[in-house]
Amino acid sequence: MLVSSHRRCQISFSRESARPGNSFRPDVEGLRGVAILLVVGCHCGLFWCAGGFVGVDLFFVLSGYLITGLLATEIRASSRIDLPKFYARRARRLLPACALVILLTTLAAAAILAPPAIAFTGKAAGAAALYISNVFFDHSAADYFAPHVADNPLLHTWSLGLEEQFYLIWPLLIWLTYRGPRALQKTFWTLGAVTTLSLLSSVYLTPRWPTFAFYELPPRAWEFAAGGLLAILPASKVPVSSGGAAAVGAVGLAVILGTAVLVQGGSGFPGWVALLPVAGTLALLFAGAKTPKRGVSVLLSSVPLQFLGARSYSWYLWHWPFLVFAGILFPGLAVGGKVAAAVASLLAAHLTFLYLEHPVRESRFLSPRPWLSLSGATGAVLLTVAASWSLLAFGRHEVNVNEKFRAIGAANFDIADISPKDCWDEGRHFEVKLCEFGTPATAPVLVLLGDSHAIQWVNPLRTATKLQGWRLATILRPGCAASDINPYNLSPGNEHCRQWREEAIDRIIALHPAAVVMASYNGSTIRGDSWSPTLMPTDAIRTGTRWTLEKFSRTGIPVVVLRDTPLPPFHIPFCEGQREGGKLRAGQSCDFEATTALNAAAFAAERAAASGLTQVFFLDMDDIICPGARCPATNRGQLIYRDDNHLTGTYAASLAPVVRARLFQLLGDASATKLPGASYSGQPDVLAVSRFNQSSATRN
């Protein structure tokens, strides 16, 4: 549900001229170069900058510092702020390159993407054109079952939306405070209050509403305000020697680089963690103002960093679409290939800077004519909105005229025949919800417990229990595994999940069910997830599963652990859309290697967790889902997966005969004192085998 890893690395670039007041700051330009290197390295998967997403903090601080300095200088000189002129400058700096990238990205999307993905990119292009893409992607990422946002070629525009929203508010705030008697004190206390309140909201919201904390302005405003505070406090009045200031700058750079290297995921970010890069940026800005020709300021003024800093905005705009489309055209693209794509995007950025961004920004014709600049900006926005609408309409048309595309698009939402509103919570809510299916009330009850990888088994279990004369009860919560594990590496979120899990187990025990089926996502042991590239050790699976099993073992309730499903290395409906549209290379398919996907180590850890416990059994359906050396993406034309890890509800429902045969053989053996921790290893009934035409030999 949380935001995917690429979104952690996006940064915001207001291509200001690095002039707080009237003096050019080469150290600021160099700091832009550092930030863009971090973010591109993060996106390319370079191990030394897994935390390169801290670039977002550098640029938010820089924006607050530069814009506040310019506004304060203007007020001191004229006692007013010329808003048309201010917004005209912003439009000339941001809009031309952004509009160009949006337009060309929509064209590339129409040529490269399959129709179901084209429509979603069209929506993102519209949000980007209106500078509300941070709100759009916040809502998309917060929806656990929404279409995958990780590979959207315009995802990076969220930070531009956030920055434009900052520009709407900030001039008014500075104008109201930075004038009249005690102007400096009023502005200082106002910005201090904004910093404090926004930081506290970020700390509070990060574990509870992480996508809002990441994407939206209120919990991010403190970073802009912190830069503004430094801008109104002249460095010359701080009693620090030049040597001391140089040392402060060195420490600041070390903190930024250390955070980029050592922070291995988005756990708790932004929250308190963002204080590190913010403090480092403030230290560098202070040192650059105090000692511009000493220490780190000299490094930041070097030619390579000046070159990259000047082109950082254009490179930011181009590098993400280049990486996304390269990954689509060359599936499984390695780090070297990503670096090559990033270098190609730098060439595009250089050309954009030379022939569009710089000429428009510094135009002697447009500079004294703010209303002309604003009129041109309005036209550019309307053009990009029209392009986004056209892309959306094209994608929807292609889906509507092709039944296979409609099926692929529908697969994204093919979850289970169950009410999400009534049967589980999402986001920041963790209420334990119980749903029951079947009659009569006196029939034995089977309880399904777990996360979204339990939800995917609702359809076959409803059918199996109905045919068996049992009832099914569900206690589900996406993101909260049945085992006491934390698949998203979010410690605060894990605490909420543990509380939910404890309440869920207590409620199950109070039901006195005939048996419990528990299912959990174990993919974090073989691939990083949306908030951390760090793999979860299999020992965490063993200890977490043991914790849950012991809770039930004390009550004598039989427990069936359902093996996690094979894990595709890519988004299956997206891949099938590309294949159906003829956009895969010759010989490519959407099937994938079984060796890693089956995650044998995680299943072995779950089995080890049952050692010494009675009434614990294991149900393995992976031999049906993935019967050979390669796992199929479809079964008789039907999509098996709705994304990159969940089964479609329709395909899962088709497994009901085998699920019933295997599950109730296990539970029948349970009443006959079957050995602890045993797995089903027999054959399902002949009807089930002939229906699926697949081997049912158990594989571990």
Side-chain angles (χ1 to χ4, degrees):
M1 93 175 176
L2 303 177
V3 239
S4 57
S5 61
H6 59 279
R7 75 176 182 171
R8 291 179 280 118
C9 306
Q10 307 299 344
I11 62 179
S12 171
F13 292 84
S14 164
R15 182 61 186 93
E16 184 57 68
S17 60
R19 291 181 175 90
N22 297 314
S23 58
F24 177 74
R25 290 279 299 273
D27 59 305
V28 172
E29 197 83 309
L31 192 51
R32 295 182 187 279
V34 171
I36 190 61
L37 282 174
L38 290 177
V39 78
V40 172
C42 173
H43 280 158
C44 290
L46 299 177
F47 73 92
W48 48 264
C49 62
F53 55 85
V54 299
V56 71
D57 306 280
L58 273 67
F59 275 84
F60 287 166
V61 174
L62 283 172
S63 291
Y65 178 76
L66 294 169
I67 296 304
T68 303
L70 288 168
L71 292 173
T73 299
E74 184 176 357
I75 293 174
R76 284 196 300 266
S78 63
S79 300
R80 61 188 291 269
I81 294 176
D82 188 337
L83 288 179
K85 186 176 180 181
F86 172 82
Y87 289 118
R89 288 198 306 266
R90 304 275 65 73
R92 292 199 306 274
R93 280 165 169 76
L94 296 175
L95 198 54
C98 184
L100 175 67
V101 170
I102 292 175
L103 289 171
L104 294 183
T105 299
T106 58
L107 292 175
I112 295 174
L113 300 181
I118 287 175
F120 187 61
T121 302
K123 293 179 182 179
L130 297 172
Y131 288 101
I132 56 170
S133 56
N134 60 319
V135 178
F136 174 78
F137 286 116
D138 173 22
H139 291 170
S140 298
D143 183 352
Y144 193 91
F145 297 104
H148 203 229
V149 302
D151 296 326
N152 192 293
L154 292 170
L155 174 59
H156 63 321
T157 60
W158 74 268
S159 57
L160 293 178
L162 193 152
E163 190 157 344
E164 284 296 325
Q165 293 152 28
F166 157 72
Y167 290 149
L168 289 176
I169 299 170
W170 209 246
L172 179 61
L173 181 66
I174 299 301
W175 180 76
L176 288 174
T177 59
Y178 202 80
R179 62 196 185 102
R182 305 177 63 183
L184 181 60
Q185 291 88 335
K186 287 189 297 182
T187 305
F188 177 83
W189 289 111
T190 300
L191 298 190
V194 171
T195 302
T196 302
L197 293 175
S198 175
L199 175 58
L200 290 176
S201 73
S202 178
V203 172
Y204 177 81
L205 292 170
T206 294
R208 295 169 177 83
W209 204 349
T211 58
F212 184 87
F214 186 89
Y215 283 117
E216 305 285 4
L217 182 60
R220 287 288 199 170
W222 71 274
E223 301 175 40
F224 296 99
L229 278 171
L230 183 63
I232 63 173
L233 295 176
S236 60
K237 295 185 178 181
V238 180
V240 178
S241 66
S242 59
V248 168
V251 171
L253 183 60
V255 168
I256 291 172
L257 298 180
T259 305
V261 172
L262 298 177
V263 175
Q264 292 295 308
S267 178
F269 195 88
W272 290 113
V273 182
L275 281 169
L276 294 173
V278 168
T281 306
L282 293 174
L284 282 171
L285 289 171
F286 170 77
K290 191 79 172 178
T291 56
K293 296 184 179 181
R294 288 192 59 177
V296 175
S297 297
V298 176
L299 173 64
L300 295 177
S301 301
S302 62
V303 172
L305 289 180
Q306 293 295 297
F307 178 87
L308 293 178
R311 291 149 184 80
S312 58
Y313 177 58
S314 288
W315 197 15
Y316 161 70
L317 288 171
W318 281 115
H319 86 282
W320 183 245
F322 266 71
L323 288 173
V324 168
F325 289 132
I328 292 170
L329 294 172
F330 304 97
L333 191 67
V335 172
K338 293 179 181 179
V339 171
V343 171
S345 71
L346 178 58
L347 175 60
H350 178 60
L351 295 175
T352 302
F353 174 78
L354 288 180
Y355 298 111
L356 180 64
E357 181 190 349
H358 183 73
V360 173
R361 187 177 70 241
E362 302 297 336
S363 171
R364 294 183 179 180
F365 177 76
L366 292 174
S367 294
R369 297 174 175 86
W371 290 107
L372 183 59
S373 296
L374 294 174
S375 298
T378 302
V381 168
L382 292 176
L383 180 62
T384 50
V385 168
S388 67
W389 181 87
S390 300
L391 186 66
L392 176 60
F394 172 70
R396 285 177 172 173
H397 174 267
E398 292 297 297
V399 168
N400 290 333
V401 300
N402 188 313
E403 184 178 348
K404 290 185 177 180
F405 283 140
R406 287 201 301 273
I408 291 170
N412 288 286
F413 305 96
D414 186 1
I415 302 168
D417 298 327
I418 187 173
S419 169
K421 179 180 179 181
D422 297 327
C423 297
W424 65 75
D425 270 336
E426 294 181 38
R428 52 187 174 153
H429 303 292
F430 290 84
E431 179 186 351
V432 174
K433 294 185 176 181
L434 173 70
C435 284
E436 297 185 73
F437 308 90
T439 55
T442 56
V445 177
L446 178 75
V447 177
L448 175 62
L449 169 68
D451 55 18
S452 60
H453 279 226
I455 294 173
Q456 66 186 356
W457 292 104
V458 167
N459 284 358
L461 287 175
R462 283 186 67 174
T463 301
T465 51
K466 180 179 180 180
L467 293 174
Q468 198 71 17
W470 284 38
R471 290 186 296 133
L472 175 67
T474 63
I475 296 184
L476 306 164
R477 207 292 176 182
C480 291
S483 300
D484 187 36
I485 58 177
N486 180 18
Y488 300 105
N489 292 320
L490 286 172
S491 298
N494 194 35
E495 288 304 313
H496 289 296
C497 281
R498 170 167 283 199
Q499 181 179 355
W500 173 89
R501 191 178 299 113
E502 289 178 340
E503 293 178 7
I505 291 172
D506 289 342
R507 190 161 183 181
I508 291 171
I509 292 172
L511 286 174
H512 303 291
V516 173
V517 173
M518 56 180 280
S520 303
Y521 169 71
N522 291 332
S524 295
T525 58
I526 59 175
R527 73 179 183 192
D529 43 52
S530 60
W531 281 95
S532 176
T534 305
L535 299 182
M536 176 182 289
T538 54
D539 280 350
I541 301 292
R542 179 180 56 79
T543 56
T545 303
R546 180 78 179 190
W547 183 91
T548 303
L549 292 178
E550 285 180 340
K551 292 275 188 179
F552 289 119
S553 180
R554 298 188 190 106
T555 66
I557 299 174
V559 179
V560 178
V561 180
L562 188 53
R563 182 178 182 175
D564 198 14
T565 46
L567 193 68
F570 44 76
H571 193 278
I572 295 295
F574 182 89
C575 180
E576 282 296 313
Q578 296 294 107
R579 185 191 62 77
E580 182 63 29
K583 296 178 180 179
L584 290 185
R585 289 178 298 170
Q588 282 186 321
S589 78
C590 298
D591 299 345
F592 50 95
E593 294 295 329
T595 306
T596 303
L598 289 171
N599 202 357
F603 188 47
E606 288 179 324
R607 292 169 62 88
S611 176
L613 300 179
T614 58
Q615 300 285 65
V616 178
F617 309 93
F618 292 87
L619 177 57
D620 180 5
M621 296 294 296
D622 282 7
D623 58 299
I624 301 293
I625 301 169
C626 182
R630 289 180 63 81
C631 300
T634 62
N635 180 28
R636 298 183 179 181
Q638 178 187 80
L639 278 171
I640 294 177
Y641 292 89
R642 63 177 177 80
D643 52 22
D644 62 353
N645 67 102
H646 297 96
L647 302 179
T648 64
T650 302
Y651 173 75
S654 72
L655 301 177
V658 183
V659 169
R660 180 191 177 194
R662 296 187 176 187
L663 174 64
F664 286 102
Q665 168 122 18
L666 284 173
L667 295 178
D669 287 344
S671 62
T673 64
K674 189 173 177 70
L675 291 175
S679 288
Y680 179 87
S681 58
Q683 299 291 330
D685 56 57
V686 175
L687 175 63
V689 174
S690 62
R691 176 174 179 178
F692 293 101
N693 194 28
Q694 295 173 325
S695 167
S696 60
T698 299
R699 291 181 299 170
N700 292 336

